[in-house]
Amino acid sequence: MSLTSKAKFQVMKDLGAPALMALGQAGKKRKPAKTPPEYFGPPLKSAARLKEIMTRHYLLARYAKGARPVAWVTSGAPVELLRVFGFYTVYPENHGALCGASRMGPALCQAAEEHGYHQDLCSYARIDLGHHFTQKTPAGKLPRPDLMFASNNICQTVMYWYKCLAHYWNVPLILFDAPYNFRDITQLDIDYMVAQLHEMIPALERISGRKFSHDRFAEVLALAKDTSLLWGQALATMKNRPAPMTIFDAFIHLAPVVSLRGLKVAHGYYQLLLAELQERVARGVGAVVPEKKRLMWDNIAIWYKVREYAELFASHGMNFVAATYTNAWAETIHHLDDNQPFESMARAYGLVILNNNLNHRLGLMEQMIREYQVDGLVIHSARSCKPYSLGQYDMKRLLMDRLGVPSVVIEADITDSRAYSEEQAKVRLEAFFEALEDDRAA
């Protein structure tokens, strides 16, 4: 770390970033605001703060190299440990979603394919590799990492993806290996994961130049837990009729709990969001007007179709009130305990939805359908995310048999629109809408 880089980063943090963002806001005020379609309720005011936080995060990332140790992190990795050492964290999956929403996915994926990476590989990975080869990004610039930090509790692809990047950047890779839960998590599994966490500490001390602090670790764990609990409470407000936001909103408002978990800025943001949602519930303000049907989404968002799908379903009076994806950052966080930091972290990260058997996922979906009073299910069979898409047709059948919930499978990709058939999706969705209409008539 250099004094010049640290000084530059601090100046940008205290003065440069606020000034640049103020200029951007002034420019936006000169443009007339778009009127949302009549079937949407008023937009969330918190969205402005969210954009400010994430813009600042990516802006400061450009100045982090040399001022702070930089880690590129998978969404399922125990980032709380990195916070103790002051790492500036970048999430390639979050960046991949941003590229997908910006419609840059196909071009970046193709750049990776031209270097020998197959089109069937996860498009988050291809985008990340394509960014490495082209340096193109809607975020301006990403900092060169000092560390690649991954966990295979979400999939095995991340291990090979991060191994490639570690090779290209010539930086160390730390992998948190979480045994798959074929039935229930065992004490042997927990002990194995705890040993790994302890073994990471000397490497993180060496890379960061900082010593491990138990007190700081306890603070970070408590803050991360409270942040995720606030996120869970925000999602729970959608149990109300009408729901105060949609899952398409939640896909966007998820960013801080993924990328900034363990930092005060994320905690403060979800306090703000939750207060606004609770106020909307008290006033009976719905995100979709009128809310005729309540839906659940399974799998990651189709990032390049979020706006179109939000409008399509809302135009039919349908609101997505639950999703297995957004719930993932709230489901296991209650396990975190600063009195047993390593053991509780192993349990929280070892029990995430994609590291659990399909019976667990089926039970979770049944519970959510009941609690959120879901009328229909939309299943995204994602070409990129095979672990998440495994068994979906069986779950579709079982949920229909057990709960009588109509469902539809949309075959697509999270960021690569080349894998999406507009005509096929249209035909399937029209049949789904008819099924829900017939259900209402009955």
Side-chain angles (χ1 to χ4, degrees):
M1 305 301 113
S2 75
L3 291 175
T4 302
S5 296
K6 288 180 180 179
K8 188 184 295 185
F9 179 84
Q10 198 62 44
V11 168
M12 283 303 299
K13 182 179 177 183
D14 295 341
L15 301 173
L20 288 171
M21 291 167 66
L23 282 172
Q25 285 295 102
K28 278 191 68 177
K29 287 176 183 176
R30 288 193 287 269
K31 296 179 181 178
K34 291 183 180 179
T35 303
E38 60 182 8
Y39 36 77
F40 284 126
L44 288 166
K45 298 175 184 176
S46 306
R49 175 59 179 154
L50 174 66
K51 185 172 183 180
E52 180 183 293
I53 289 170
M54 297 311 298
T55 300
R56 180 178 180 273
H57 173 64
Y58 279 111
L59 178 61
L60 289 178
R62 303 179 201 180
Y63 300 91
K65 184 66 178 177
R68 302 263 298 274
V70 175
W72 286 16
V73 188
T74 59
S75 61
V79 69
E80 291 82 4
L81 195 57
L82 298 185
R83 301 283 182 223
V84 180
F85 299 96
F87 278 89
Y88 200 96
T89 54
V90 172
Y91 281 74
E93 289 146 290
N94 179 277
H95 177 248
L98 177 62
C99 292
S102 303
R103 312 242 172 186
M104 290 181 64
L108 290 172
C109 286
Q110 188 169 342
E113 291 158 21
E114 289 169 357
H115 282 77
Y117 292 94
H118 199 278
Q119 193 173 357
D120 280 341
L121 183 66
C122 168
S123 63
Y124 277 165
R126 282 180 287 140
I127 281 177
D128 207 25
L129 291 160
H131 162 261
H132 169 75
F133 296 126
T134 67
Q135 294 303 299
K136 293 179 180 177
T137 167
K141 184 181 178 181
L142 298 183
R144 183 187 177 97
D146 299 299
L147 169 70
M148 303 301 298
F149 190 64
S151 176
N152 59 2
N153 58 359
I154 51 175
C155 71
Q156 290 293 325
T157 299
V158 295
M159 179 172 67
Y160 302 106
W161 162 13
Y162 275 48
K163 189 175 181 180
C164 288
L165 287 173
H167 169 73
Y168 289 137
W169 291 117
N170 192 26
V171 296
L173 165 65
I174 292 179
L175 175 71
F176 179 61
D177 180 32
Y180 185 79
N181 300 308
F182 290 96
R183 292 186 179 175
D184 297 314
I185 196 167
T186 68
Q187 189 59 47
L188 187 64
D189 295 333
I190 293 170
D191 292 344
Y192 171 66
M193 288 184 280
V194 167
Q196 291 180 69
L197 293 169
H198 282 295
E199 288 171 3
M200 291 175 191
I201 291 174
L204 294 174
E205 286 181 329
R206 184 176 66 255
I207 296 165
S208 69
R210 298 190 184 188
K211 287 292 184 183
F212 177 73
S213 165
H214 286 279
D215 290 343
R216 175 63 181 148
F217 190 31
E219 287 175 14
V220 170
L221 280 182
L223 190 59
K225 180 177 181 178
D226 287 348
T227 300
S228 295
L229 289 175
L230 285 168
W231 172 242
Q233 291 172 47
L235 294 177
T237 64
M238 290 192 284
K239 293 178 183 179
N240 292 278
R241 286 179 178 266
M245 74 171 174
T246 78
I247 282 302
F248 296 112
D249 293 319
F251 285 151
I252 308 303
H253 290 266
L254 177 70
V257 78
V258 178
S259 300
L260 303 171
R261 191 172 64 258
L263 299 177
K264 290 180 181 178
V265 66
H267 184 267
Y269 176 69
Y270 289 113
Q271 288 178 316
L272 178 72
L273 176 63
L274 178 60
E276 181 179 4
L277 293 173
Q278 289 174 334
E279 190 264 342
R280 286 166 71 112
V281 168
R283 293 195 295 117
V285 176
V288 172
V289 183
E291 183 185 278
K292 299 174 184 177
K293 289 290 183 179
R294 295 163 63 84
L295 307 179
M296 183 164 80
W297 181 279
D298 183 47
N299 213 318
I300 304 171
I302 307 172
W303 291 111
Y304 48 90
K305 298 292 287 186
V306 166
R307 181 184 293 275
E308 291 174 49
Y309 270 21
E311 293 184 357
L312 173 64
F313 284 94
S315 70
H316 285 78
M318 299 176 184
N319 187 12
F320 283 89
V321 297
T324 54
Y325 178 59
T326 53
N327 185 69
W329 280 268
E331 183 191 358
T332 66
I333 204 66
H334 64 276
H335 290 294
L336 280 185
D337 181 358
D338 53 357
N339 292 313
Q340 293 183 306
F342 294 100
E343 292 81 358
S344 67
M345 182 180 282
R347 192 175 293 276
Y349 282 95
L351 286 170
V352 296
I353 185 171
L354 291 183
N355 203 46
N356 257 309
N357 57 76
L358 290 179
N359 277 332
H360 167 85
R361 184 163 154 199
L362 183 64
L364 174 66
M365 292 175 76
E366 285 191 65
Q367 178 186 340
M368 293 176 71
I369 287 169
R370 291 191 175 99
E371 288 184 359
Y372 287 82
Q373 304 166 67
V374 168
D375 302 304
L377 172 64
V378 176
I379 298 171
H380 172 206
S381 179
R383 178 172 179 168
S384 277
C385 200
K386 293 173 178 63
Y388 213 151
S389 303
L390 181 69
Q392 284 180 315
Y393 282 92
D394 288 329
M395 285 188 283
K396 176 182 185 290
R397 175 180 53 80
L398 289 168
L399 289 170
M400 185 63 185
D401 291 345
R402 296 180 186 183
L403 301 178
V405 176
S407 56
V408 62
V409 175
I410 302 298
E411 295 178 357
D413 183 85
I414 52 182
T415 65
D416 188 352
S417 57
R418 295 174 299 172
Y420 178 79
S421 168
E422 193 74 56
E423 190 59 35
Q424 182 191 72
K426 181 181 177 181
V427 170
R428 292 186 179 187
L429 286 173
E430 284 176 352
F432 178 64
F433 293 149
E434 287 178 13
L436 286 175
E437 289 292 334
D438 291 345
D439 181 56
R440 186 180 351 183

